[in-house]
Amino acid sequence: MYTDLENQLNIDIETKTKIEFLTNQITTIISDELVDHNLDLIMDEITILELFKSLGIKIDVEQGSIFQKILTIIEVYKYLNKKKCLVFINVSVYLSINEMKSLLEFISLNQVDVLFIERYEMKGFSNYILDEDFYFYKN
């Protein structure tokens, strides 16, 4: 996410230059204070990624329902660089049949690879079962 934000700033050179200028001013003020301190303190240059992290930039997941939170997770997952497959465990316990159908449609529309691991068979959906002998079959 931070890398995507930095790439977005690389497009808007004026804003990036302004942020770098202000960051340098803050660095100068802090380094002047370090000189006046009794201990020998040093500091590194702060990068834009470190600035994002120190500002506490994060994804807002304050939606109400579990269904909305799962949709947000899928939307965020789309933007991750090193992704293979998103895994949800026991989601059917928390969602209704209609929400599960909507979720599967949302996943399909967003072309995301998702694996649902459920303890019980889900009626109305394709189920693959791994039994106690590790035999894998479609039900």
Side-chain angles (χ1 to χ4, degrees):
M1 174 184 71
Y2 295 127
T3 306
D4 288 338
L5 287 173
E6 185 176 27
N7 289 338
Q8 185 177 337
L9 274 179
N10 287 336
I11 294 170
D12 186 0
I13 300 298
E14 183 180 335
T15 302
K16 184 176 181 182
T17 304
K18 187 174 183 180
I19 290 172
E20 287 174 341
F21 175 74
L22 293 171
T23 303
N24 287 335
Q25 281 186 319
I26 292 170
T27 302
T28 303
I29 292 169
I30 291 174
S31 64
D32 289 344
E33 291 298 316
L34 292 180
V35 169
D36 294 339
H37 200 277
N38 293 337
L39 299 174
D40 289 335
L41 302 174
I42 60 171
M43 62 184 241
D44 293 331
E45 292 289 323
I46 189 167
T47 65
I48 290 185
L49 291 176
E50 292 169 334
L51 183 61
F52 290 154
K53 289 177 185 178
S54 66
L55 289 173
I57 295 174
K58 54 188 171 188
I59 298 164
D60 181 19
V61 289
E62 296 297 323
Q63 291 88 7
S65 70
I66 291 176
F67 179 71
Q68 288 296 323
K69 288 183 181 185
I70 292 171
L71 293 180
T72 301
I73 289 169
I74 293 169
E75 287 177 354
V76 170
Y77 178 77
K78 284 189 327 187
Y79 294 104
L80 298 178
N81 293 332
K82 298 176 182 177
K83 61 182 180 185
K84 300 278 183 193
C85 181
L86 182 59
V87 179
F88 289 109
I89 300 174
N90 292 330
V91 171
S92 66
V93 173
Y94 303 102
L95 302 178
S96 68
I97 299 281
N98 289 335
E99 287 175 327
M100 280 299 295
K101 287 179 181 177
S102 296
L103 181 60
L104 292 175
E105 182 180 338
F106 184 77
I107 290 167
S108 176
L109 289 172
N110 284 284
Q111 300 177 342
V112 177
D113 295 323
V114 177
L115 173 65
F116 292 97
I117 299 176
E118 300 292 335
R119 183 170 175 89
Y120 303 104
E121 182 179 341
M122 294 174 53
K123 302 289 185 200
F125 298 97
S126 295
N127 291 276
Y128 293 87
I129 298 178
L130 182 64
D131 66 13
E132 61 273 355
D133 295 325
F134 298 105
Y135 180 72
F136 189 68
Y137 61 95
K138 183 175 182 176
N139 192 10

